[in-house]
C-alpha cells in the first residue's frame, strides 16, 4: 500500500492556503508553510495508523488466508525475513503451513505480501493471468537503469508481447546449438587461465616433489569473468577479454555494481514507501555510481550495435550471436536494441556465474557426485588440450552431466525470489487480490517444496533426474509432481528467454572445470550451508566469496 503523497500534498496545500488567508471560520490564521507542514504531518500519521495497524489487522480482504504465526506488532515477520537469506523463511512456511496455493505474511510496517505455492496458483500468476501481475515500479527504477528500462525485462502487456515475439527467434534452439563451440572455446580458455594461475601459486608455495598443483581460488570471480566473455561473444559478438584481463573495465563495472552496498540496501528499503523516480534523483553516492555505470554500459552496447549495423549494410553479417540475429529480424529501433543488449549482458552473465559458484560449492561438498561426473566427462568429451570442439549432441548424450546441471539449478537457483504487483483487482485460486498487492515468486521455496518434490526435497540428489526404468517419464521433471515445481527460470510468457542458452553455457563451463580440476572446501565449516552468509539482490551468491581448494588433475 503506497503512501498517497499526491493527495496528502494537495489537501495540505489547499487547506493550508485557506488557513493562511484566514479563510476558514473559527480557525486561526497561520503562515502557509507552517500550515502545509502541520497538515501534511497530521494526515501522514492518520495514514500510517490506517496502513500499519488498522488495514492489515482488521480490514484487509486478504485476512483469513493462512499465514505464519509470531508477528511483531508493527513489523510482522520482518525480523525473520532479514535474519535469514532471501527465500529461506518462505521455504519454511511453504513446507509447514497448510494452504491451498496462497500464503499471506506481513513485512516491514506490516505491508502485506502473498506467496504463491501450488502449481495451479503459480500457473495463474505466471501464465494465464501473467499481465495482471506486473513488475513493481520500484524494481524498474532500482535496477532498470542497468538492465535497460525499455528492454524486454521491464515492459508489460502488448509491448512486452511484441518484443518477446521479435526476440524469440534469436533464442530458438536452432541458433543456440550453433553457439556450443563458442561456449566450449571460452570454457577452455578459462580453464587454461585458471590452470596457469594455480600452477604459479603452487610453485610459490613449493609443496614438494610429486605433489599435484593446487591452490585456493575464489570461484565466483573466475565464473563472472568467464560468463561475461561468453555473453560478449555469443550474445553480442564482441570478446570483452575479461578472462585474460581481470581488470577489464566492463568486468570491474559489474563487480562494483553487484557488490553489497549499504546505500543500495537503504534505497531499496525506501523504495517500499517512496516513488522510485524520486529516489533515483537523490544526490547520493550509490545513485552516482549507478548512473555512471549505466552510461558506460550503454555506450559499450551502442558502439557494438553500430559496428554490427555497418557489417549488415555491407552484407558481411554472418555472425551467429544473438544481436546479429535480432538485427536481421529488423523489429527494433537502435535505442531499444541498446536496452535489450543491456538486459542480456546483465541478466545473462551474473545468473550463470552464480550457478557456477553454487555448482562448485555443492560438488566440493559431494565428492562422490564430483568424481562420478568427472568420469563421465573424461569418457565422453575431448580433452581440453586438443583443438576439438563439442556439439549440442555431445552434451545432450551425457545423462549425469545434465542431471547434475538440473539439480544445481533446482537446489540453488540463482534468482531466489522475484516480485510481482497486481495491476488490477484480480484473484488467485478464487481468493480476491486487490490492486497493488505484492506477490512473491520464490524459486528458493518452490524448488524445495516437499509437497511437490517429496520427502527428500531438501537433499541434493542429481539421481532424481535419471530415469529409474525405461519409460520413467517423471525423471524429466526430477520426479516432481508438476513442471511448476522447477521455478528457476519461471514459466509462462515472462519466463527466462535465455533458458536454453544458459543451460548449454552452464553445462559446457561445468564440464570443462570438473574435467580438469578437483574441488574441496577451503573452509570446512561451510559444509554446513547455514554458515554461509548469502548476498541477496537479484542473484544469490556467497557474500564473502566462495574460496575452494582447487587441484589440477592430470590426464585431460
Ligand atoms: C542460470 C542462468 C539464468 C537464470 C537462472 C535466469 C533466470 C531468469 C528469471 C527467473 C527470469 C524472470 C525474472 C522475472 O520476471 O522476475 C529471467 C528473465 C529473463 N532472462 Fe534469464 N536467467 C538466466 C540466464 C539468462 C541468460 C543467459 C539470458 C540471455 C542470454 C537471460 C535473459 C533473460 C531475459 C531477457 C529475461 C526477461 C524475459 C521476459 O521478461 O520476457 N537469462 N531469467
Amino acid at each position: 500500500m503506497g503512501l498517497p503523497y499526491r493527495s496528502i500534498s494537495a489537501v495540505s496545500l489547499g487547506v493550508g492556503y485557506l488557513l493562511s488567508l484566514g479563510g476558514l471560520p473559527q480557525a486561526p490564521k497561520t503562515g502557509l508553510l507552517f500550515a502545509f507542514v502541520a497538515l501534511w504531518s497530521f494526515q501522514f500519521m492518520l495514514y500510517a495508523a490506517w496502513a500499519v495497524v488498522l488495514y492489515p489487522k482488521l480490514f484487509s480482504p486478504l485476512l483469513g488466508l493462512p499465514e505464519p504465526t509470531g508477528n511483531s506488532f508493527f513489523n510482522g515477520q520482518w525480523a525473520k525475513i532479514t535474519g535469514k537469506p532471501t527465500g529461506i523463511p518462505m521455504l519454511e512456511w511453504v513446507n509447514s503451513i497448510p494452504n491451498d496455493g496462497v500464503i499471506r505474511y506481513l513485512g516491514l510496517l506490516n505491508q502485506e505480501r502473498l506467496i504463491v505455492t501450488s502449481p495451479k496458483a503459480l500457473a495463474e500468476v505466471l501464465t494465464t493471468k501473467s499481465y495482471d501481475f506486473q513488475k513493481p515500479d520500484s524494481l524498474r527504477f532500482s535496477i532498470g537503469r542497468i538492465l535497460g528500462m525499455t528492454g524486454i525485462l521491464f515492459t508489460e502487456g502488448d509491448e512486452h508481447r511484441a518484443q518477446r515475439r521479435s526476440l524469440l527467434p534469436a533464442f530458438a534452439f536452432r541458433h543456440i546449438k550453433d553457439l556450443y563451440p563458442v561456449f566450449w572455446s571460452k570454457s577452455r580458455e578459462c580453464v587454461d587461465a585458471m590452470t596457469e594461475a594455480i600452477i604459479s601459486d603452487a610453485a610459490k608455495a613449493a609443496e614438494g616433489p610429486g605433489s599435484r598443483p593446487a591452490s585456493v581460488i575464489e570461484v565466483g570471480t573466475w565464473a563472472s569473468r568467464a560468463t561475461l566473455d561468453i555473453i560478449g561473444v555469443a550474445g553480442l559478438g564482441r570478446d570483452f577479454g575479461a578472462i585474460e584481463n581481470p581488470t577489464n573495465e566492463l568486468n570491474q563495472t559489474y563487480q562494483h555494481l553487484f557488490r553489497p552496498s549499504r546505500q543500495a540496501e537503504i534505497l531499496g528499503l525506501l523504495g517500499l514507501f517512496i516513488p522510485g523516480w524520486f529516489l533515483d534523483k537523490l544526490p547520493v553516492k550509490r545513485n552516482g555510481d549507478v548512473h555512471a555505470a549505466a552510461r558506460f554500459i550503454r555506450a559499450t552496447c551502442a558502439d557494438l550495435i553500430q559496428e554490427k549495423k555497418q557489417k549488415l549494410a555491407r552484407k558481411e553479417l554472418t555472425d551467429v550471436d544473438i544481436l546479429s540475429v535480432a538485427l536481421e529480424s529488423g523489429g527494433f529501433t537502435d535505442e531499444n536494441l541498446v536496452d535489450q543488449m543491456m538486459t542480456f549482458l546483465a541478466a545473462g552473465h551474473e545468473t550463470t556465474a552464480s550457478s557456477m559458484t553454487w555448482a562448485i560449492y555443492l560438488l566440493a561438498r559431494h565428492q562422490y557426485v564430483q568424481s562420478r561426473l568427472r568420469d563421465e566427462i573424461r569418457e565422453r568429451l575431448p580433452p581440453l588440450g586438443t583443438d576439438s570442439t563439442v556439439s549440442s549432441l555431445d552434451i545432450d548424450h551425457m545423462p549425469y552431466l545434465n542431471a547434475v546441471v538440473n539439480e544445481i539449478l533446482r537446489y540453488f537457483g540463482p534468482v531466489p525470489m522475484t516480485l510481482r504487483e497486481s495491476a488490477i483487482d484480480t484473484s488467485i485460486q478464487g481468493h480476491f487480490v486487490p490492486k497493488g498487492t505484492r506477490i512473491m515468486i520464490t524459486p528458493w521455496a518452490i524448488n524445495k517444496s516437499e509437497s511437490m518434490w517429496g520427502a527428500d526435497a531438501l537433499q541434493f540428489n542429481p539421481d532424481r533426474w535419471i530415469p529409474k526404468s525405461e519409460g520413467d517419464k517423471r525423471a524429466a521433471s526430477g520426479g516432481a509432481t508438476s513442471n511448476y515445481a522447477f521455478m528457476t527460470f519461471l514459466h509462462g510468457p515472462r519466463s527466462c528467454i535465455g533458458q536454453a542458452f544458459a543451460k548449454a553455457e552452464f553445462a559446457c563451463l561445468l564440464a570443462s572445470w570438473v574435467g580438469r580440476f578437483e574441488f574441496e572446501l577451503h573452509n570446512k565449516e561451510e559444509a554446513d550451508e547455514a554458515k554461509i552468509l548469502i548476498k541477496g539482490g537479484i542473484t544469490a551468491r556467497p557474500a564473502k566469496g566462495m574460496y575452494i581448494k582447487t587441484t589440477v588433475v592430470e590426464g585431460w
Side-chain angles (χ1 to χ4, degrees), residues 6 14 49 60 68 94 105 516 550:
R6 280 205 184 95
S60 166
V94 163
Y105 72 88
R516 171 67 62 84
T550 308

Side-chain angles (χ1 to χ4, degrees), residues 248-428:
N248 167 284
E249 193 176 355
L250 193 60
N251 179 39
Q252 295 284 316
T253 305
Y254 279 116
Q255 297 285 326
H256 185 66
L257 273 177
F258 294 129
R259 208 172 289 150
S261 134
R262 191 106 200 97
Q263 271 193 9
E265 251 172 55
I266 294 172
L267 288 172
L269 275 184
L270 290 175
L272 294 174
F273 312 100
I274 298 174
W277 61 262
F278 179 79
L279 290 177
D280 186 54
K281 298 211 165 16
L282 291 181
V284 293
K285 182 170 180 308
R286 173 70 189 176
N287 279 344
D289 288 353
V290 170
H291 293 188
R295 274 195 301 276
F296 175 66
I297 297 168
R298 180 163 279 282
T300 307
C301 292
D303 179 40
L304 269 163
I305 289 167
Q306 283 319 315
E307 210 175 88
K308 288 269 176 201
K309 283 188 84 170
Q310 283 161 13
K311 264 181 141 181
L312 189 65
R314 294 196 302 268
K315 301 201 181 348
E316 287 170 8
L317 197 65
T318 51
D319 304 343
V320 290
D321 58 84
I322 290 168
L323 171 57
S324 302
V325 180
L327 256 181
E328 275 171 311
S329 84
F332 301 96
T333 63
D334 283 9
E335 196 52 23
N336 183 248
L337 210 46
V338 169
D339 275 27
Q340 307 294 0
M341 293 307 119
M342 289 176 80
T343 308
F344 297 152
L345 260 186
H349 99 271
E350 267 301 300
T351 40
T352 318
S354 158
S355 291
M356 277 302 287
T357 309
W358 292 119
I360 301 308
Y361 166 70
L362 285 168
L363 293 178
R365 261 180 57 192
H366 297 88
Q367 290 293 325
Y368 165 72
V369 176
Q370 191 187 144
S371 54
R372 184 170 155 196
L373 178 59
R374 186 171 304 106
D375 289 348
E376 186 187 75
I377 292 164
R378 288 184 165 213
E379 193 189 310
R380 304 276 177 104
L381 295 180
L384 292 182
T386 64
D387 259 349
S388 38
T389 185
V390 306
S391 68
S392 65
L393 280 179
D394 295 324
I395 298 290
D396 281 356
H397 290 149
M398 296 179 67
Y400 201 58
L401 174 64
N402 288 298
V404 172
V405 161
N406 283 333
E407 184 63 352
I408 291 163
L409 289 170
R410 177 190 79 90
Y411 196 90
F412 273 133
V415 181
M417 187 159 86
T418 182
L419 288 182
R420 295 290 186 265
E421 195 172 277
S422 45
I424 50 171
D425 284 350
T426 179
S427 65
I428 305 174

